[in-house]
Amino acid sequence: MGRHSLPDERGTATSGPRPRSRGRTVAIATALVLVVAGGAAAAVGAGLLALGGSCGDDAVRLDVVAAPAVSPALREAADEAREQEITSDGHCIDVRVTARDSYEVAAELRSGKGTPAYDVWVPDSDVWVQRVGLGGRQSKIAPAGNIASSPVGIGMVPSAAESLGWPRRTYSWPELTTAATKGDKLRLGTADPARSASSLLALAKMGASAKKQGGTRAAALAKALASRTTDDDGRLLDTLVRDGSGAERGNPRRNQALILSEQAAYTHNASAGEENSLDLFYPKDGSPRLDYPYTLVEDGRMSTDTSRAALRFMTMFSEDDGRRILAEHGFRTDLDRPSKRLVTAAGGRTPQPYADEATDPPSDKELQETLGMWTITVQSARLSTVVDASESMRQLVPGRDQSRMEVTKASLLRALAGFTDEDEIGLWEFATRLDGARDYRELEPTRRLGDRKGGVTHRDELSDAFAGLQPVPGGATGLYDTTLAAYKEARSTYARGRFNALVILTDGANQDPGSISRSSLIAQLEEISDREHPVPIIAIAVGPEADKDEVQQIAEATGGSGHQVDDPAQIHAVILKAIMEAGSNQG
């Protein structure tokens, strides 16, 4: 296959300036001077960060936490700083590097609880810095720039890559992932995108492509990937086939392809041997990149000595020795001319577009949508469904010889078919005074669809309950009391690890004069909703008489969404869209 031939010189060409490229670390260091404690800029100007001199016993301690992949390179640079007695303001710098998964540190900083025991954080991607910024109690952080990069692609064992035409044939992300997930001949694995920047960036790229094709492709891909997902990047490479034996190739738990960074492929290939090494596909519609932002933590509390030491350590990676260390660990240090040796060692080869510029990073909204889509596609759901059974549901749907209730039931049954046996779904109906003074009654509890009772599954019981829904003669719309009672029940039975939501369908405004007011309902919903245990309301107004503004106000009080459909047949599509939106808000 010519695996070890170098990419040709044409492959190193670029197509022009990169509008989003970040400056090299020399420029980054200048930016850092502006955010570190006062006096550092003057120290740089006065040459106080020079090398050399005797360390003595007054070295400045700098604690760094970094993504596991980049930690070895940072440790080597720290060792070199000690050996060469590199100084900051006349003091040697004593850098201690601890490897920690980026998602863990992001969650810790986002919570704002306690004082971080580190001065600098180097995650593998800026997506984690964005995640910290989305929190309401986050610690103060100051991203100063980026020390390295690594594009994300799909690595395959040689036999699998050859079957897809590597290296001559190039694919877009949708084409490549479709080829890798079609049938059982080629198994594609990934890490959990909630814990892996490589997977999250790739999934966001796929989602952006899928939107142009109707939006269902990304969800289908997520379902295909869900069964082949590891908890984090650290375990992903362990899922590869170990050799070329039939037993390994046929093992359904082994993968022949992985979504991973170029640096991860480089590190794997360094010790895997020819048979178990990876060939790397770089999608032709652009490879997102890990960008390793050098980030100060609680920079306002740093002493001047510590902030200067942080500056000095970062500038090492713009110098020859620092760039050499990063390159030897498989990282790119030049955005415009990637190392041919590195690309080849990682499994890349012309005409794979390894030198193309990186795709624009996803926005906060795109990241949230991606995580929301993954949540509702992969996680099991717990949905409490509340259906209006008032007299007005007898009215015929324009253009159909069916009532609103009949079309609603058909749409609910269609939606039910899309849930797995692991999902939990229940059913209430409401009108006015259905159960004594109460406007509502439970028809089926919220239970796992696959649960059996007397030889009948809960799915069967729920299907019968949907089919048996009938408008109540003379019944009005007791919306407010029902909503509050159903929400309290959903909150009290919240299931961890699942997507929890309350789905309410109504064809009219509240008609119960003895109920609580709308303002009181909204105030109580806001009071009992919990961001840490979210149960969004998905409220759907059915028909022209329904009050869309009302259901929107009610739903938004819980972080949910309100919708209006003229035809109940649209309910199925709206529920799926609303669940995705609610899942995005939970990210």
Side-chain angles (χ1 to χ4, degrees), residues 325-366:
I325 290 171
L326 288 169
E328 287 177 351
H329 285 269
F331 296 99
R332 294 191 181 191
T333 59
D334 189 329
L335 291 175
D336 296 316
R337 294 185 63 84
S339 162
K340 293 182 291 184
R341 181 193 67 81
L342 187 158
V343 170
T344 301
R349 182 180 171 192
T350 301
Q352 290 296 313
Y354 63 84
D356 286 1
E357 65 182 70
T359 59
D360 289 343
S363 66
D364 289 351
K365 180 181 178 182
E366 289 170 330

Side-chain angles (χ1 to χ4, degrees), residues 124-127 130 150 152 173 193 196-207 259 288-291 359-362 367 370:
D124 56 8
S125 173
D126 187 59
V127 302
Q130 292 183 51
S150 187
V152 176
W173 276 104
S196 164
S198 297
S199 297
L200 178 56
L201 290 168
L203 204 62
K205 180 65 179 178
M206 297 172 206
I259 295 174
R289 292 190 183 178
L290 304 182
D291 53 6
T359 59
D360 289 343
L367 291 176
T370 299

Side-chain angles (χ1 to χ4, degrees), residues 177-448:
T177 51
T178 297
T181 55
K182 189 176 182 180
D184 295 326
K185 292 184 178 179
L186 179 60
R187 294 181 291 272
L188 172 65
T190 189
D192 182 350
R195 297 181 173 190
S196 164
S198 297
S199 297
L200 178 56
L201 290 168
L203 204 62
K205 180 65 179 178
M206 297 172 206
S209 299
K211 278 186 177 180
K212 301 175 183 178
Q213 303 172 20
T216 60
R217 202 164 184 172
L221 174 63
K223 280 188 176 292
L225 288 175
S227 62
R228 314 207 66 79
T229 300
T230 60
D231 288 344
D232 51 47
D233 289 317
R235 303 180 186 182
L236 183 60
L237 285 159
D238 293 337
T239 68
L240 277 174
V241 293
R242 297 172 180 171
D243 53 53
S245 67
E248 279 291 294
R249 291 197 304 270
N251 187 339
R253 309 186 90 177
R254 295 291 177 193
N255 294 312
Q256 294 95 358
L258 303 174
I259 295 174
L260 78 177
S261 70
E262 179 183 76
Q263 189 275 335
Y266 174 96
T267 301
H268 171 79
N269 288 351
S271 58
E274 183 78 13
E275 186 179 16
N276 297 318
S277 60
L278 293 171
D279 294 323
L280 200 55
F281 283 91
Y282 298 77
K284 62 186 178 184
D285 52 346
S287 295
R289 292 190 183 178
L290 304 182
D291 53 6
Y292 303 92
Y294 191 95
T295 308
L296 296 184
V297 180
E298 297 286 0
D299 55 294
R301 300 181 184 178
M302 277 188 180
S303 68
T304 301
D305 286 343
T306 302
S307 63
R308 292 175 181 176
L311 169 60
R312 182 63 190 98
F313 185 56
M314 190 177 69
T315 61
M316 287 185 64
F317 299 104
S318 67
E319 299 163 358
D320 289 343
D321 284 345
R323 289 160 64 90
R324 171 187 55 77
I325 290 171
L326 288 169
E328 287 177 351
H329 285 269
F331 296 99
R332 294 191 181 191
T333 59
D334 189 329
L335 291 175
D336 296 316
R337 294 185 63 84
S339 162
K340 293 182 291 184
R341 181 193 67 81
L342 187 158
V343 170
T344 301
R349 182 180 171 192
T350 301
Q352 290 296 313
Y354 63 84
D356 286 1
E357 65 182 70
T359 59
D360 289 343
S363 66
D364 289 351
K365 180 181 178 182
E366 289 170 330
L367 291 176
Q368 292 289 69
E369 288 179 349
T370 299
L371 286 173
M373 181 272 293
W374 180 263
T375 297
I376 62 97
T377 304
V378 175
Q379 274 191 337
S380 295
R382 180 178 174 83
L383 303 181
S384 301
T385 309
V386 181
V387 179
D388 191 342
S390 60
E391 174 74 31
S392 57
M393 289 291 281
R394 292 186 187 277
Q395 294 186 22
L396 294 180
V397 175
R400 293 173 177 264
D401 189 24
Q402 292 177 300
S403 70
R404 292 175 184 170
M405 181 62 86
E406 289 171 327
V407 179
T408 295
K409 291 191 294 186
S411 193
L412 287 172
L413 286 166
R414 182 183 171 202
L416 180 62
F419 289 94
T420 72
D421 284 349
E422 296 302 316
D423 294 316
E424 300 176 359
I425 301 179
L427 175 64
W428 286 19
E429 66 175 349
F430 73 99
T432 47
R433 297 185 176 275
L434 285 186
D435 184 7
R438 296 193 302 185
D439 294 338
Y440 51 87
R441 61 187 168 203
E442 180 183 76
L443 299 180
E444 286 294 334
T446 304
R447 295 194 293 117
R448 180 178 169 275

